[in-house]
Amino acid sequence: MASAAFIEALPVIEFVAQLLGKDVISRPLSDSDRVKTVQHNDYQEDPYAKEFGIKISDKPASVEARVLPAPWLKYHENGKEKDCLPQVGQWNMMNKKMINGMTVNRWACINFSRGVQDSVARGFCNELAQMCQVSGMEFNPEPVIPIYTVRPEHVEKALKHVYHSCMNKLHGKELELLLAILPDNNGSLY
């Protein structure tokens, strides 16, 4: 079984969703939160639910289930390690090379952290590009525009600036990846 690598960008999605005013829950609801929500919404009195004969219990359902063992992951033969068995749902990509790595040609980075100097941000981006290349991805080492550093209070302005600058430079093509360096978790972006 071959593996494909991808970056799950949930924190960025949540960040953009908050910026756009969408409701995104960053953590799963507990059973008691679900029960309170069902009780608060009073689905038993909902006219549409009644019309279609839908009944919603405020008690969580119990489902028998089991956790399947993780499958072995197979990597490219050119890597130092050709396969691995994930432990506790995670694994390390060190010494492994993807069989069909993705391509990232158009990317940018916004640095919202006052504590991260431009040189450190550039170094991080360079190391990320190198690590992706070593792991079997095609990753353009140069961002579309220079890393944009801005105060965390100016999120919307920064996103618009980077978006428009990149669209102008790329003649309408969109970014494939936007990296955001966030400040410590006591900032306004959290």
Side-chain angles (χ1 to χ4, degrees), residues 14 25-30 33:
E14 290 173 4
I25 297 173
S26 61
R27 62 170 175 78
L29 290 173
S30 68
D33 288 340

Side-chain angles (χ1 to χ4, degrees), residues 75-84 93-98 134-135:
Y75 291 93
H76 200 283
E77 294 296 320
N78 290 349
K80 291 180 183 176
E81 296 179 28
K82 283 125 182 84
D83 56 25
C84 88
M93 284 296 297
M94 295 298 287
N95 300 320
K96 296 169 187 73
K97 189 171 184 179
M98 290 170 261
V134 166
S135 297

